[in-house]
Amino acid sequence: MKQSPLRPRELMAVAIALSLRGLRGGRGGPFGAVVALNGIIVGRGNNQVLAGNDPTAHAEVVAIRAACRKLGTFHLEACVLYTSCEPCPMCLAAAYWARVDAIVFANSRADAAEIGFGDAFLYGELIRPPESRSLPTSRLMAKQASAAFRAWESLASKTHYGPVVRP
């Protein structure tokens, strides 16, 4: 049976319902997300950090992974990510890497901080040089590692999959 396209408010309502379902099921924090293509949900996710002992299993990442599996692609152009909360830095980066066309969120990151899910620290760390971050970060064997980059550079059949740089 063909699914009818949903309006933005209906898509957000699904994301919010997923946030509550995951929370009540003890799967993780109060976050839900859907990826929609032309108003049709192609990926769903709720936070599953606790359920899978996976700190990367945020709702947005779970929904993006599901959408990519369903559509058979690693790019989600023409898709919109609806999420119950403004994405954290990891999820925001995942949305860029997935090339979604837009992100629509309900709760803000300030709202999330009020209940203990503050991301301000991470946003601050991202703009610091590696050697100045609070997590010790150092470089090792750069010259040897560059061999893989040179091989990629000369590969005629490579598939580019980086994020689109938006003006």
Side-chain angles (χ1 to χ4, degrees):
M1 184 162 95
K2 188 174 178 177
Q3 184 182 353
S4 297
L6 300 174
R7 294 185 306 270
R9 293 181 68 82
E10 294 170 314
L11 292 161
M12 184 59 76
V14 174
I16 293 168
L18 286 166
S19 73
L20 288 166
R21 184 182 313 153
L23 173 67
R24 291 180 181 140
R27 302 191 62 73
F31 306 99
V34 297
V35 175
L37 176 61
N38 299 320
I40 306 294
I41 295 174
V42 294
R44 299 171 187 257
N46 61 277
N47 185 290
Q48 298 183 25
V49 169
L50 300 178
N53 292 318
D54 180 354
T56 69
H58 290 197
E60 297 90 340
V61 172
V62 172
I64 287 168
R65 289 174 180 166
C68 289
R69 274 192 308 274
K70 181 171 186 159
L71 298 174
T73 183
F74 51 85
H75 282 158
L76 298 175
E77 287 105 341
C79 291
V80 177
L81 174 63
Y82 291 84
T83 177
S84 66
C85 187
E86 184 176 356
C88 74
M90 176 184 69
C91 294
L92 180 60
Y96 272 94
W97 278 101
R99 297 184 179 183
V100 298
D101 274 8
I103 299 170
V104 180
F105 65 90
N107 291 312
S108 71
R109 64 188 214 200
D111 298 330
E114 288 180 12
I115 63 164
F117 290 96
D119 295 326
F121 167 75
L122 293 174
Y123 280 102
E125 287 286 287
L126 290 173
I127 61 172
R128 297 176 78 172
E131 65 277 1
S132 297
R133 294 179 185 146
S134 64
L135 180 63
T137 305
S138 59
R139 196 170 182 189
L140 181 65
M141 297 182 67
K143 185 175 181 178
Q144 294 86 340
S146 72
F149 280 18
R150 298 302 70 82
W152 169 262
E153 222 173 21
S154 65
L155 189 65
S157 62
K158 64 182 163 245
T159 301
H160 290 280
Y161 58 88
V164 173
V165 178
R166 300 174 194 269

